[in-house]
Amino acid sequence: MSAPSWFGRLLAERNVELTPERSEQFETYYRLLTEWNERMNLTAIKEREAVYEKHFYDSLTLAFHLDPRGIGRLADIGSGAGFPSLPLKICFPHLQVLIVDSLGKRIRFLEHLTAELGMTGVICLHARAEDAGRMPEHRDGYDLVTARAVARMNVLCEFCLPFARPDGLFAAMKGSDPDEEIGEAKRALAELRGRIEAVHALRLPFEQAKRHIVVVRKAGRTPARYPRKAGIPARQPLV
């Protein structure tokens, strides 16, 4: 079974190629997601067309605004069931991907999934973002850092910007209008060496739900005091 015809058609309109092999990978992804979802809570979205629209297509909207062909290393923080990094990896297999998630059973799912998809160049790391952001092999080293529906911007900056290299990007994938969150994040952005570069607005093709991608450029290396100890950024956001 291959991906829905609309999926490939809409991606082609955005210059994202869905080859037969990639279409099969998405179908495997959907099958494993639904199988594992019976044993653990990976997603509340279960119907096939909805998974393709609200998870797979939604993840790939990042590629409509930031060309993955110019990105080498991608870090996905709080990835959950692999969104947005693994749909991006399927369509842009050159990406070297780090997935960070604090829940061990989700990491086990992601390790099984990437093995079944035949993926190389994917690290699934069971860790809190604050702890992983202090690991020398991951700190200040990624071209693009992403987070999808994880936390408010003032918290996300501390979770994500430590992974981005100087002059690298952090892209926060949001639902409704993020203006209020951006306003709240002024101090966090300044402390973590980030500046807003763009905010892209879009809608999902069928449900027409609003989505926003907040793109942050990192100006320099992460100050030594960040990120703070695990749990502190969420309890005491920089405001």
Side-chain angles (χ1 to χ4, degrees):
M1 195 170 183
S2 58
S5 58
W6 66 262
F7 185 64
R9 184 180 72 254
L10 292 183
L11 293 183
E13 290 175 3
R14 295 287 194 155
N15 297 314
V16 177
E17 184 182 11
L18 186 70
T19 64
E21 179 185 3
R22 293 171 187 173
S23 181
E24 289 179 14
Q25 285 182 302
F26 277 110
E27 275 298 293
T28 300
Y29 198 157
Y30 170 70
R31 175 176 56 81
L32 291 173
L33 179 67
T34 53
E35 287 176 4
W36 281 64
N37 203 52
E38 294 177 1
R39 308 196 296 272
M40 66 177 73
N41 182 26
L42 289 169
T43 176
I45 301 167
K46 301 173 185 177
E47 194 268 325
R48 180 172 176 262
E49 295 286 321
V51 169
Y52 267 89
E53 180 183 16
K54 298 178 184 179
H55 284 324
F56 297 162
Y57 183 87
D58 188 30
S59 294
L60 289 166
T61 59
L62 202 60
F64 303 166
H65 302 285
L66 300 172
D67 187 357
R69 296 169 186 86
I71 295 164
R73 302 182 78 203
L74 166 69
D76 187 1
I77 310 305
S79 178
F83 308 123
S85 55
L86 294 186
L88 288 165
K89 173 72 172 176
I90 289 174
C91 289
F92 303 94
H94 74 280
L95 290 172
Q96 299 295 303
V97 174
L98 169 71
I99 296 175
V100 178
D101 201 276
S102 61
L103 199 61
K105 60 184 180 180
R106 282 200 291 257
I107 291 295
R108 289 193 293 276
F109 164 71
L110 293 168
E111 289 174 338
H112 178 78
L113 173 64
T114 53
E116 288 292 307
L117 294 176
M119 286 182 171
T120 59
V122 179
I123 298 170
C124 300
L125 180 61
H126 178 210
R128 296 285 291 266
E130 303 97 316
D131 296 327
R134 286 195 167 273
M135 296 177 182
E137 64 269 36
H138 300 304
R139 188 177 178 88
D140 292 322
Y142 288 84
D143 303 309
L144 175 63
V145 186
T146 69
R148 179 176 177 262
V150 172
R152 292 182 73 83
M153 281 295 298
N154 55 358
V155 177
L156 279 183
C157 287
E158 193 165 353
F159 283 171
C160 296
L161 280 168
F163 292 89
R165 64 170 173 80
D167 203 41
L169 296 174
F170 158 44
M173 302 184 75
K174 293 288 182 179
S176 57
D177 191 334
D179 282 352
E180 181 181 327
E181 288 190 38
I182 291 170
E184 289 177 349
K186 286 182 179 178
R187 183 187 168 199
L189 286 162
E191 292 276 349
L192 275 300
R193 307 290 191 265
R195 59 175 175 80
I196 302 293
E197 185 160 284
V199 179
H200 302 288
L202 57 136
R203 289 181 182 269
L204 294 183
F206 302 113
E207 189 189 69
Q208 287 292 298
K210 292 180 180 179
R211 295 289 189 267
H212 293 81
I213 299 171
V214 182
V215 181
V216 178
R217 178 77 64 177
K218 186 173 175 181
R221 298 185 70 82
T222 305
R225 62 186 176 277
Y226 295 113
R228 292 169 291 169
K229 290 184 178 180
I232 293 178
R235 291 196 307 270
Q236 302 174 20
L238 295 168
V239 291

